[in-house]
Amino acid sequence: MAAGLWVALSALRVLFLLLCVEPWAEGGKVLVVPMEGSHWLSMRKAVQELQARGHQTVVLAPEVNMHIKGDDFFTLKTYAIPYTQEEFEDIFLRQSHLIFESEHFLKTFLKTIIILQNVSAFYQRSCASLLYNKDLIRYLNDSSFDVVLTDPVHPCGTVLAEYLSVPAVYFLRSIPCELDFEGTQCPNPSSYIPRLLTRNSDHMTFLQRVKNVLYPLALQYICSTSFAPFASLASELFQREVSVVDIFSYGSVWLFRGDFVMDYPRPIMPNMVFIGGVNCANRKPLSQ
Ligand SMILES: *[C@@H]1O[C@H](CO)[C@@H](O)[C@H](O)[C@H]1NC(C)=O
Ligand SMILES: *[C@@H]1O[C@H](CO)[C@@H](O)[C@H](O)[C@H]1NC(C)=O
């Protein structure tokens, strides 16, 4: 009799505990603002995992895009942009392969500038279509998201997160022009951190170090033309002066799709987390 009562009491206690715990175990609401192309393919895996862990995810994408299609593990929300599918494919598919051609660096550099300008003009116009879409902004604001998960390489999701006053978590490989270092106020010595396009390693001769210092100056031009329009978009929206670095600094946590097996050593900050393993979600065994 006593044992029976004890069992019943234990069961009640467990039920009570479950009732208490259940509301805390409830998932969060995540707004995902991905980047097009291959960037989305690794983020998609993270979104799938979020859903598996009980979070609700809404993925926001322009109507015209490459890989971001609806799926059963997220809600897809699209918005209209002033581009047709043909214009979009022209910008991305026909030009982007040029980046991977190995030619004289000056030629690669000039081509890269033109492509980047064209691609960022596309993103700025899409971003403005998103931020000035009153119905969509009202819907997003009313949805009270807990967090915005975004790839900041084109920082529209970041501006959106700040506009909605929701914290942002970045999911990225890197941002050109050391903006990831500046946005996190991370030390960034030119003496051993190889700069983009230099093909330097972390061990440099004197001349390689000179190259390492000079290349970023030229890249600066590309980045200011690529990112400055987002700063003016944000300044207009927030009615105050917003710089490019201000935009990137909004991120609370930076998830880097990198790993020091593949990357050279560098200083990091406490809000930087390296998650290179997500790139191996779809793996094939090596051949003999
Ligand atoms: C951008 O792309 C469009 C479409 O391919 C092209 O007509 C235009 O000349 C390009 N602009 C630049 C600056 O390359
Ligand atoms: C979101 O809603 C709040 C409360 O109604 C409002 O104060 C705020 O201005 C809205 N934000 C945007 C971006 O519309």
Side-chain angles (χ1 to χ4, degrees):
M1 181 72 195
L5 191 64
W6 188 82
V7 168
L9 268 178
S10 302
L12 259 181
R13 208 178 297 146
V14 169
L15 189 66
F16 181 71
L17 259 177
L18 276 179
L19 285 176
C20 289
V21 166
E22 207 53 10
W24 301 107
E26 212 173 68
K29 290 182 80 174
V30 186
L31 176 62
V32 182
V33 188
M35 167 69 181
E36 190 41 276
S38 59
H39 290 235
W40 163 241
L41 300 180
S42 44
M43 200 171 202
R44 191 176 172 279
K45 213 67 206 170
V47 171
Q48 193 167 17
E49 190 57 35
L50 283 171
Q51 197 264 355
R53 296 186 184 193
H55 303 288
Q56 256 185 63
T57 47
V58 173
V59 174
L60 196 58
E63 246 169 30
V64 174
N65 73 64
M66 225 183 298
H67 298 303
I68 311 172
K69 309 294 174 220
D71 221 316
D72 55 4
F73 56 89
F74 61 83
T75 308
L76 180 65
K77 191 88 191 160
T78 58
Y79 55 94
I81 55 166
Y83 283 91
T84 62
Q85 187 75 35
E86 288 75 43
E87 286 169 305
F88 174 79
E89 280 172 9
D90 195 53
I91 291 172
F92 285 88
L93 304 182
R94 253 196 262 163
Q95 298 186 65
S96 50
H97 71 276
L98 295 175
I99 288 179
F100 299 106
E101 284 174 8
S102 55
E103 286 177 307
H104 188 264
F105 97 88
L106 206 62
K107 218 167 162 188
T108 311
F109 187 76
L110 290 176
K111 271 186 185 170
T112 310
I113 289 187
I114 292 171
I115 295 166
L116 279 181
Q117 278 177 342
N118 223 348
V119 168
S120 37
F122 169 84
Y123 279 110
Q124 284 139 27
R125 291 187 63 191
S126 320
C127 189
S129 318
L130 163 61
L131 296 171
Y132 287 101
N133 183 332
K134 286 207 175 68
D135 292 335
L136 180 61
I137 293 294
R138 192 173 318 115
Y139 158 80
L140 295 173
N141 198 21
D142 291 347
S143 304
S144 314
F145 288 100
D146 297 304
V147 69
V148 171
L149 177 68
T150 187
D151 189 323
V153 72
H154 283 287
C156 194
T158 308
V159 177
L160 176 67
E162 189 166 357
Y163 191 31
L164 299 173
S165 310
V166 175
V169 171
Y170 295 161
F171 188 91
L172 73 160
R173 181 68 182 94
S174 67
I175 301 179
C177 301
E178 338 305 329
L179 283 163
D180 43 351
F181 288 89
E182 285 191 57
T184 49
Q185 297 186 311
C186 183
N188 187 18
S190 288
S191 54
Y192 76 94
I193 300 184
R195 302 303 185 206
L196 196 64
L197 304 178
T198 57
R199 298 184 187 162
N200 284 341
S201 79
D202 59 335
H203 287 72
M204 297 172 225
T205 61
F206 176 71
L207 281 180
Q208 284 172 328
R209 282 190 183 161
V210 171
K211 187 178 172 189
N212 214 42
V213 169
L214 293 180
Y215 266 51
L217 299 180
L219 278 177
Q220 215 66 50
Y221 170 74
I222 299 184
C223 287
S224 62
T225 52
S226 305
F227 293 124
F230 285 99
S232 28
L233 206 57
S235 304
E236 201 179 295
L237 207 58
F238 304 149
Q239 303 280 308
R240 63 179 158 82
E241 195 61 33
V242 178
S243 71
V244 171
V245 174
D246 290 339
I247 294 183
F248 288 106
S249 339
Y250 185 74
S252 302
V253 178
W254 296 59
L255 304 175
F256 285 91
R257 283 186 287 111
D259 192 282
F260 291 115
V261 170
M262 190 160 70
D263 296 323
Y264 294 115
R266 55 165 283 182
I268 60 170
M269 294 302 260
N271 62 342
M272 294 178 167
V273 184
F274 288 78
I275 53 159
V278 296
N279 297 322
C280 313
N282 298 314
R283 53 187 167 263
K284 276 188 194 165
L286 288 174
S287 69
Q288 284 313 311

